[in-house]
Amino acid sequence: MSTASLGVMDAISQRHSVRAFTKEPVTPEQLDALFQAARLAPSSLNSQPWRYKVTQDPAILEQFGTKEVSRTQTWLAGAGAIIACCADISGYVRDTQASVFFYKEHNIMQGDTMEGVEAYAEREASAAESAKFGAAAMNVALSVSFMMLRAVEMGLGTCWVGMFNEQKVKELLGIDPALRIVGLLAVGHPAPGQPTEHNRKPLEEIILP
Ligand SMILES: Cc1cc2nc3c(=O)[nH]c(=O)nc-3n(C[C@H](O)[C@H](O)[C@H](O)COP(=O)(O)O)c2cc1C
């Protein structure tokens, strides 16, 4: 089903985590469209630390459903594709600093703001590895959100999976050990009977007085 005329709010409302897929393949064009959306996400100092590794190999997808890889989330084996959403932490630090040089060189920011940006980049560079991961992962998550909404627009379903064995997934997909995997995104054509309700906190609980 093509839903290409959806507005942004329609895509937001119609997105649900999908954990059951039909056997209809996810095409290379659909994957490309997801990555095109992913690359347009905002990021701190335009560092774009997201890196994506996709698999559609049935034998590998089968492995994703196992106890060792995902604590027996067997439904993952039925996905049309699984995307490992990674953070390049050294790239994040490097590209953050490169942006600072660029802003300075081209006089894009001045005075106190420029000093603030320089201090931010220096802080990031000397931060603990866990803090760097948190900052890079925040950027990756935004990019994945863009993919999730673009998927809805194309009639695809997705589910972010945070429960996985990072080491095992790196081995399965041949991912550079220096990268960190922030999450997995399962993608496919939703099987009938997907949830239609959102279980969410009311605005009064999330808007602070
Ligand atoms: C960081 C993160 C980790 C998640 N991990 C899993 C997971 O391991 N397995 C799973 O089935 N769903 C996972 N989810 C999906 C959530 O359960 C789901 O988004 C939430 O219940 C709200 O439902 P909805 O996405 O249908 O609106 C995760 C979502 C996020 C954002």
Side-chain angles (χ1 to χ4, degrees):
M1 180 186 64
S2 171
T3 45
S5 58
L6 284 185
V8 175
M9 193 56 202
D10 296 318
I12 291 170
S13 313
Q14 292 176 27
R15 189 212 57 81
H16 295 276
S17 290
V18 173
R19 300 180 182 86
F21 304 97
T22 70
K23 294 209 177 309
E24 186 179 345
V26 175
T27 65
E29 292 74 24
Q30 287 170 322
L31 287 171
D32 185 64
L34 294 182
F35 294 131
Q36 290 293 351
R39 69 187 278 273
L40 293 179
S43 58
S44 48
L45 287 166
N46 205 17
S47 53
Q48 306 166 60
W50 43 75
R51 307 287 181 266
Y52 295 107
K53 176 86 182 183
V54 61
T55 185
Q56 294 188 286
D57 180 332
I60 296 181
L61 292 174
E62 199 63 44
Q63 289 294 312
F64 271 95
T66 60
K67 183 175 169 62
E68 294 69 33
V69 176
S70 70
R71 301 300 290 257
T72 324
Q73 297 188 73
T74 52
W75 61 271
L76 282 169
I82 290 180
I83 302 170
C85 308
C86 307
D88 179 351
I89 296 180
S90 59
Y92 168 69
V93 171
R94 180 196 64 226
D95 294 333
T96 297
Q97 286 170 329
S99 284
V100 172
F101 287 129
F102 183 82
Y103 286 7
K104 218 171 167 177
E105 193 88 353
H106 293 81
N107 211 18
I108 290 168
M109 284 180 188
Q110 303 89 25
D112 190 38
T113 312
M114 189 65 238
E115 281 170 31
V117 167
E118 280 181 286
Y120 170 83
E122 270 167 41
R123 218 172 34 241
E124 290 298 278
S126 56
E129 217 43 36
S130 59
K132 281 183 197 156
F133 173 64
M138 177 170 64
N139 290 296
V140 175
L142 264 172
S143 169
V144 177
S145 295
F146 277 37
M147 277 203 279
M148 292 169 116
L149 296 180
R150 181 70 174 104
V152 176
E153 193 182 34
M154 294 189 294
L156 293 172
T158 60
C159 186
W160 178 308
V161 173
M163 194 164 61
F164 62 92
N165 181 313
E166 184 176 12
Q167 191 52 41
K168 289 266 184 309
V169 173
K170 281 185 179 175
E171 287 165 15
L172 267 179
L173 299 182
I175 293 173
D176 180 348
L179 296 178
R180 293 293 313 275
I181 307 178
V182 178
L184 305 175
L185 191 68
V187 184
H189 295 267
Q194 294 301 316
T196 52
E197 298 297 315
H198 290 286
N199 173 16
R200 291 296 190 269
K201 296 184 198 304
L203 282 186
E204 305 81 70
E205 204 176 325
I206 64 169
I207 308 293
L208 301 174

